[in-house]
Amino acid sequence: MYRIGIIGCGKIAQVRHIPEYIASGKAELAAFYDLNAARAEELAARYHGKAYHSVDELLDSGVDAVSVCTSNATHAEITIKALEKGIPVLCEKPMAVSLAEAEAMTEAAARSGKVLMIGQNQRLNGTHRMARDIIRRGDIGKVLSFRTIFGHGGPETWSIDPGKNTWFFDKSRACMGAMADLGIHKTDLIDFLLDDEVVSVSASVTTLDKKDAEGNLIGVDDNAICIYTMKSGAVGTMTASWTYYGEEDNSTTIYGTDGIMVIYGPSGHSISITLKDGSHIYYDIDRMQTNDAQTSSGVIDEFLLSLDRGWAEISAASVLPAMKAVFGAIESSRTRREVRI
Ligand SMILES: NC(=O)c1ccc[n+]([C@@H]2O[C@H](COP(=O)([O-])OP(=O)(O)OC[C@H]3O[C@@H](n4cnc5c(N)ncnc54)[C@H](O)[C@@H]3O)[C@@H](O)[C@H]2O)c1
């Protein structure tokens, strides 16, 4: 049994990490820490663990590994601290809020020799894995372009502390908005699906509609629309939005020389392929987890597997190219020019 510490006891810890650790049968929820002490105490009582008063106290309590589920701006500091104490980490996305931090995390993982996995759960969906196999097999030919989207109505109803004063809207704690919250998922997914990396980006990362409790536009972006050129030469768009009111869009379309593949599209099939000759192939595998419908993400099983074998497939190093594209997109939007990564 791995003795697990939970740092940040909010929504993602409660609806994903904790239930998936319990379901694994391989983990004991030993330690909890949250800035909100009552929240940590409550979880400790419910899961027969112990609440601590600081990150250091928790890290010195004899845990075998930790989940970092705090707000974005604290991921790097807590993760590096844990790794320096020889403790493996599963850190939620976005892994960091600056390129320097993301690189420091990657280096800390390499120096410590300990597992650092990032919670890029979209790589673990059966549908996304199948889609990657189909692309690799060449069923739709050479990939020419793509369109990937993650949009919903925003995080203000999701957070454990809901409302217009959510940290997700606060630049000092979130640093980035829809781009970091949703855009990193789809940027990392495109790298994963195409076995590729973004080499240049033009983007508009902007705030169109979300207002804080005072009625002012929020301090972070609520929409990010990016044009990515990949190393292979493929060109596509990545859209992240917190203003898709009414219905979530989590779809990806890949256009190849021999056909089109739609993943989690409106047809209701997990994957639908239309070949050049007009014939269709459908795959029904699973549905995407949404904020309202949480299915097992596989993230915790993957982390525990990473601990068993001593290395993580979804490592910090493997997410770094997508993080560079995210920061490149923000720079492109600010400077109004194409940015080479
Ligand atoms: N993989 C995914 O799909 C996914 C989904 C949702 C959230 N997340 C990520 O998980 C992280 C947490 O998001 P959430 O939805 O649980 O937010 P939340 O608001 O529901 O909870 C955050 C919790 O962290 C605590 N916290 C903040 N800073 C802290 C610190 N320095 N030390 C200890 N506790 C601290 C808060 O008190 C709160 O209890 C974010 O980085 C978010 O981007 C990932």
Side-chain angles (χ1 to χ4, degrees):
M1 291 292 253
Y2 290 108
R3 287 169 49 78
I4 302 294
I6 304 286
I7 303 178
C9 299
K11 196 63 170 277
I12 200 66
Q14 295 196 25
V15 305
R16 181 171 296 167
H17 290 239
I18 291 173
E20 293 190 21
Y21 277 122
I22 292 170
S24 76
K26 288 168 65 179
E28 178 192 333
L29 294 163
F32 297 86
Y33 170 64
D34 196 287
L35 286 179
N36 180 330
R39 193 166 287 156
E41 297 281 358
E42 192 190 318
L43 293 188
R46 195 181 312 156
Y47 298 109
H48 313 293
K50 192 165 177 324
Y52 291 89
H53 299 293
S54 70
V55 171
D56 283 293
E57 232 184 64
L58 182 146
L59 294 175
D60 293 336
S61 70
V63 289
D64 298 314
V66 292
S67 273
V68 175
C69 300
T70 55
S71 42
N72 304 345
T74 56
H75 288 181
E77 186 190 339
I78 297 171
T79 296
I80 292 170
K81 192 176 259 194
L83 290 169
E84 284 176 348
K85 287 178 186 273
I87 298 170
V89 178
L90 168 57
C91 177
E92 265 304 343
K93 45 56 54 179
M95 68 185 277
V97 295
S98 71
L99 183 55
E101 277 188 358
E103 287 174 339
M105 290 166 79
T106 309
E107 282 156 21
R111 236 185 358 257
S112 69
K114 297 295 172 191
V115 164
L116 169 55
M117 177 176 149
I118 310 299
Q120 299 295 161
N121 54 288
Q122 296 227 348
R123 286 198 215 174
L124 296 169
N125 284 76
T127 294
H128 286 148
R129 298 185 90 79
M130 172 65 86
R132 185 173 65 154
D133 290 346
I134 292 168
I135 294 166
R136 282 181 168 177
R137 210 157 67 197
D139 292 16
I140 60 165
K142 179 178 173 339
V143 173
L144 299 173
S145 64
F146 58 83
R147 181 176 64 188
T148 187
I149 300 168
F150 196 168
H152 59 45
E156 62 271 40
T157 52
W158 154 270
S159 169
I160 197 93
D161 299 307
K164 292 184 172 186
N165 283 327
T166 174
W167 69 265
F168 281 98
F169 291 172
D170 174 1
K171 196 163 176 66
S172 70
R173 288 179 287 171
C175 295
M176 299 170 274
M179 185 63 189
D181 188 35
L182 308 180
I184 184 57
H185 273 305
K186 289 305 186 191
T187 305
D188 183 71
L189 179 69
I190 278 295
D191 286 3
F192 172 78
L193 288 176
L194 306 188
D195 283 321
D196 210 345
E197 285 178 18
V198 176
V199 291
S200 76
V201 52
S202 294
S204 179
V205 182
T206 184
T207 314
L208 298 176
D209 187 61
K210 283 282 174 212
K211 311 242 177 17
D212 62 20
E214 284 72 49
N216 301 313
L217 279 178
I218 58 174
V220 294
D221 56 282
D222 62 14
N223 278 273
I225 300 172
C226 311
I227 302 172
Y228 287 154
T229 301
M230 311 300 289
K231 203 185 268 174
S232 66
V235 180
T237 58
M238 193 293 296
T239 300
S241 178
W242 278 344
T243 61
Y244 284 13
Y245 302 121
E247 196 177 19
E248 178 166 322
D249 189 343
N250 215 317
S251 66
T252 298
T253 306
I254 311 284
Y255 301 89
T257 49
D258 294 334
I260 299 168
M261 173 165 59
V262 181
I263 306 166
Y264 294 132
S267 71
H269 297 287
S270 310
I271 298 175
S272 67
I273 294 176
T274 306
L275 293 175
K276 215 151 83 175
D277 64 7
S279 60
H280 298 282
I281 306 165
Y282 301 112
Y283 295 83
D284 293 301
I285 300 157
D286 56 21
R287 294 305 298 163
M288 189 68 222
Q289 305 92 32
T290 67
N291 279 359
D292 300 327
Q294 289 289 324
T295 52
S296 174
S297 69
V299 157
I300 298 302
D301 285 343
E302 181 68 21
F303 182 50
L304 296 172
L305 177 67
S306 304
L307 295 181
D308 288 344
R309 66 185 176 200
W311 59 274
E313 187 178 310
I314 311 180
S315 62
S318 77
V319 179
L320 202 51
M323 290 302 293
K324 287 182 180 171
V326 164
F327 297 123
I330 291 166
E331 189 190 336
S332 164
S333 183
R334 188 178 56 79
T335 58
R336 294 269 156 229
R337 60 176 181 83
E338 185 179 12
V339 168
R340 294 203 65 77
I341 309 296

